[in-house]
Amino acid sequence: QKEVEQNSGPLSVPEGAIASLNCTYSDRGSQSFFWYRQYSGKSPELIMFIYSNGDKEDGRFTAQLNKASQYVSLLIRDSQPSDSATYLCAVTDSGGGADGLTFGKGTHLIIQP
Amino acid sequence: DTEVTQTPKHLVMGMTNKKSLKCEQHMGHRAMYWYKQKAKKPPELMFVYSYEKLSINESVPSRFSPECPNSSLLNLHLHALQPEDSALYLCASSQVRAFGDTQYFGPGTRLTVL
């Protein structure tokens, strides 16, 4: 049974600061890791994916993966009020076939103006 | 273009009704997915179609019946649902890649069972 753990929050961060979101996963066979953002009443929207150890940057977002520690994180630099949402960490163990996402419960992020 | 469309946006049905949810993508993706999301919970996988064949069924009750008529379309047929089946039903699609097989979600159908 794959498990993905996230602190549900709320995590409150001042505007312009760095928001740090964390996620751990139980299945060492997990291959790919995703961060989705979900606004209330809307569907999940992809922020980033990562599958190699280390950092991956895309604009204000940086994803970090440490497979030895089974840990994934998302950093949001220069946080904006529009970043206020629930952030879902998700994993798959796809080795070439389609595989469903296993989601964490999500972290509710609040950016304070 | 990363658009997945779903119809209807909202659906209210009685426990004796039969209805269908529809999902469409034109990104050439070869896998399509159904998820169910209850309020303040993460999405939960229901079904996976890969190359138009059902590859994963997460022990979903038979009152939910998926169908994949072709690589662009995915349906979810609903029959004799229970009030606890009320939720946001999300469709997603992906290319089928070994790593970073990103799933793109549609806007969802909000289902209410009376």
Side-chain angles (χ1 to χ4, degrees), chain A residues 31-32 36 38 43 94 99 101, chain B residues 35 37 42 98-100 102-103 106:
Chain A
Q31 300 276 1
S32 299
Y36 285 86
Q38 188 171 28
S43 64
S94 169
D99 185 39
L101 292 165
Chain B
Y35 290 84
Q37 187 174 25
F99 297 95
T102 302
Q103 293 183 28

Side-chain angles (χ1 to χ4, degrees), chain B residues 17-57:
Chain B
N17 292 156
K18 286 185 181 180
K19 296 286 185 184
S20 296
L21 309 184
K22 297 186 184 301
C23 175
E24 190 167 5
Q25 58 88 16
H26 293 290
M27 296 177 278
H29 289 176
R30 301 313 303 268
M32 296 185 78
Y33 310 78
W34 282 115
Y35 290 84
K36 172 183 177 180
Q37 187 174 25
K38 302 277 281 183
K40 300 198 182 298
K41 300 287 187 184
E44 291 181 349
L45 182 68
M46 300 175 73
F47 302 104
V48 180
Y49 273 85
S50 180
Y51 295 90
E52 300 161 50
K53 293 190 176 162
L54 183 65
S55 60
I56 297 177
N57 176 340

Side-chain angles (χ1 to χ4, degrees), chain A residues 5-7 20-24 35 71-74 89 107:
Chain A
E5 300 287 340
Q6 293 181 257
N7 188 326
S20 178
L21 305 166
N22 304 315
C23 169
T24 58
W35 285 100
Y71 174 87
V72 193
S73 67
L74 179 71
C89 174
T107 297

Side-chain angles (χ1 to χ4, degrees), chain B residues 1 3-5 12 16 23 36 39 46 56 74 78 85-86 93 96 101 109 111 113:
Chain B
D1 184 11
E3 187 177 25
V4 177
T5 58
V12 179
T16 58
C23 175
K36 172 183 177 180
M46 300 175 73
I56 297 177
L74 185 66
L78 313 173
D85 297 321
S86 298
S93 70
V96 185
D101 187 34
T109 293
L111 174 67
V113 182

Side-chain angles (χ1 to χ4, degrees), chain B residues 64-106:
Chain B
F64 295 91
S65 175
E67 178 195 19
C68 188
N70 60 55
S71 60
S72 300
L73 293 173
L74 185 66
N75 298 322
L76 186 63
H77 302 298
L78 313 173
H79 172 56
L81 294 192
Q82 304 297 309
E84 59 265 27
D85 297 321
S86 298
L88 180 66
Y89 287 83
L90 295 162
C91 174
S93 70
S94 73
Q95 288 181 322
V96 185
R97 292 162 49 177
F99 297 95
D101 187 34
T102 302
Q103 293 183 28
Y104 295 95
F105 285 85

